[in-house]
Amino acid sequence: MLREGGLARRPGETKAAGDYVTQTDLSSEAAILEVLAREAPGVAVLAEEAGGARADTMWAVDPLDGTTNFMRGFPVVGVSVALVRSGTPELGVVIAPWLGLEFAVQRGRGATLNGERLPTLSPVDPARAVVSTGFPFRRKHRLPEYNSVFTGAFERFEDLRRPGAACLDLAWTSTGTFDGFFELGMGTWDIAGGAALVLEVGGRVTDWSGGSAWIESGDVLAAAPAVHEVLLELAREAPEG
């Protein structure tokens, strides 16, 4: 459904301040869940709109990442589906329908963009890095923590970007378009597919303490190795939110 027609301003309902759902979110999710139920029966699903229970093996489904972008006619909008096993994303697909991009990954078997295999990430000088981020608009009480890392990143890296769709921030990190990504408090569905891509091409993905709880906490640092070291240093120095 997301491939039909052009992208224009669309109505949506407010879930929380700055957090919306549209009929397209719901229709996209319903279509994805129908396919998963048919092709992978019995596997748990954790979806942004329908919810679900966490399980050791589960699908993480974001039917429309960047809903605010979508509602305002800004084409940085993604769809992400990933299989997570024991806290690690095993495979995933991230699609940007209006940009004509389709990323796919299977752990240990490579990652692709529009069918072409992605190479291992090249070494990056952090001083020349361009890093993406997302503002913690659902976690404004954590702004002191976020602002500390944002300020440090602005000083240490060449530049920052904020496109507004985490699955694509991560996917673009896997291609070297961005050299890293940091954000707080996201859903598992936002980050599982894109993180699988980053890991498969030799990037690092951790939470803000350097641990592996990011898949549940949604506090994520994902980057080429040298850039990740800087992000982790900044996060460890930040005040707790």
Side-chain angles (χ1 to χ4, degrees):
M1 178 173 181
L2 283 173
R3 292 185 181 277
E4 296 177 3
L7 182 63
R9 290 185 71 102
R10 310 292 176 91
E13 297 180 5
T14 302
K15 294 191 288 185
D19 196 6
Y20 302 95
V21 61
T22 68
Q23 185 56 49
T24 303
D25 293 75
L26 300 174
S27 298
S28 174
E29 185 169 283
I32 293 168
L33 296 184
E34 180 182 352
V35 172
L36 293 179
R38 183 178 68 244
E39 301 296 335
V43 179
V45 178
L46 183 66
E48 180 174 17
E49 307 305 339
R54 291 187 179 273
D56 184 69
T57 299
M58 63 183 181
W59 294 103
V61 176
D62 192 339
L64 200 164
D65 191 11
T67 300
T68 299
N69 289 350
F70 173 74
M71 291 171 58
R72 291 177 171 271
F74 183 53
V76 180
V77 175
V79 179
S80 178
V81 179
L83 182 68
V84 179
R85 182 176 290 116
S86 300
T88 301
E90 296 282 340
L91 57 87
V93 175
V94 175
I95 298 173
W98 286 283
L99 301 177
L101 304 176
E102 183 173 310
F103 302 84
V105 59
Q106 183 172 357
R107 187 181 181 192
R109 296 193 177 184
T112 61
L113 169 56
N114 292 347
E116 298 292 327
R117 190 180 179 99
L118 295 177
T120 300
L121 290 175
S122 301
V124 179
D125 176 2
R128 300 295 303 275
V130 174
V131 174
S132 63
T133 187
F135 305 139
F137 63 91
R138 298 186 189 96
R139 306 285 189 275
K140 290 185 179 179
H141 65 284
R142 300 185 71 180
L143 275 174
E145 182 181 7
Y146 175 82
N147 285 340
S148 174
V149 176
F150 181 92
T151 299
F154 191 73
E155 292 172 346
R156 298 281 296 273
F157 302 133
E158 183 172 289
D159 209 347
L160 301 179
R161 293 289 183 273
R162 201 280 188 179
C167 71
L168 294 177
D169 287 309
L170 288 159
W172 282 320
T173 297
S174 76
T175 66
T177 299
F178 299 140
D179 301 303
F181 171 68
F182 64 98
E183 193 168 347
L184 288 167
M186 291 179 294
T188 297
W189 46 80
D190 293 311
I191 54 178
L197 289 159
V198 175
L199 290 167
E200 188 63 19
V201 297
R204 295 178 184 169
V205 181
T206 69
D207 59 29
W208 282 38
S209 68
S212 60
W214 59 271
I215 197 73
E216 293 189 11
S217 71
D219 300 347
V220 65
L221 307 174
V227 175
H228 185 272
E229 288 181 13
V230 175
L231 285 172
L232 185 56
E233 175 188 336
L234 295 173
R236 286 173 168 168
E237 293 173 350
E240 292 187 8

